């Protein structure tokens, strides 16, 4: 599975961005797609995940009500709509795919994902 993340950029606080994660290759093996982010000097942080087949979603408390994860299976693409952005949302955003069948709560841990995209930078200015 190959993942290509895009859509990052510079935006003012309160603005919006939509990130895309296009999957290719053995997409039939995907169970879950997640978004993580990593700010300078900080650990990689779970943002949101979506099951590939059923569309079940889960988001971190820090982004609930502001970020929405969705998918378009016809395009093999997962989106992260980010609204009401804050300076603390500034980070490199990575999409990742996992193939194993794990309990839903396991998908908040980046080590459970076997495939990663290259990351896209989101910068929110105050």
């Amino acid at each position: 599975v190959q993942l290509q993340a895009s859509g990052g950029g510079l935006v003012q606080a309160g603005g919006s961005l939509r990130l895309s994660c296009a999957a290719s290759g053995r997409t039939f093996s995907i169970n879950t797609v997640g978004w993580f982010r990593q700010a300078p000097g900080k650990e990689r942080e779970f943002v949101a995940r979506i099951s590939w087949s059923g569309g079940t979603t889960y988001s971190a408390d820090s982004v609930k009500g502001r970020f929405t994860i969705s998918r378009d299976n016809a395009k093999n693409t997962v989106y992260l709509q980010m609204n009401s952005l804050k300076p603390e949302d500034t980070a490199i955003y990575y999409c990742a795919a996992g193939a194993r069948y794990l309990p839903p709560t396991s998908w908040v841990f980046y080590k459970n994902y076997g495939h990663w995209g290259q990351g896209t930078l989101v910068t929110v200015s105050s």
Side-chain angles (χ1 to χ4, degrees):
V1 175
Q2 293 78 45
L3 302 172
Q4 180 74 37
S6 62
L10 173 64
V11 64
Q12 289 187 333
S16 299
L17 281 175
R18 188 178 78 158
L19 305 184
S20 299
C21 177
S24 60
R26 298 169 60 90
T27 57
F28 60 86
S29 68
I30 296 174
N31 178 277
T32 290
V33 173
W35 284 97
F36 287 77
R37 65 186 182 186
Q38 189 164 18
K42 295 189 177 181
E43 293 187 354
R44 193 165 298 190
E45 175 189 21
F46 170 79
V47 176
R49 53 85 55 167
I50 186 167
S51 64
W52 189 249
S53 60
T56 304
T57 64
Y58 179 75
S59 300
D61 289 343
S62 59
V63 305
K64 279 181 181 176
R66 300 189 299 122
F67 292 10
T68 302
I69 189 170
S70 63
R71 82 204 192 288
D72 184 336
N73 281 11
K75 296 182 178 180
N76 288 333
T77 300
V78 170
Y79 304 99
L80 185 68
Q81 178 66 44
M82 306 187 296
N83 299 327
S84 302
L85 282 161
K86 304 174 181 180
E88 51 263 44
D89 294 319
T90 295
I92 299 174
Y93 283 70
Y94 299 91
C95 63
R100 293 185 292 166
Y101 287 90
L102 297 173
T105 53
S106 297
W107 294 115
V108 303
F109 301 106
Y110 71 88
K111 293 183 178 180
N112 287 329
Y113 293 79
H115 309 278
W116 289 84
Q118 83 287 4
T120 185
L121 177 62
V122 172
T123 303
V124 184
S125 64
S126 57

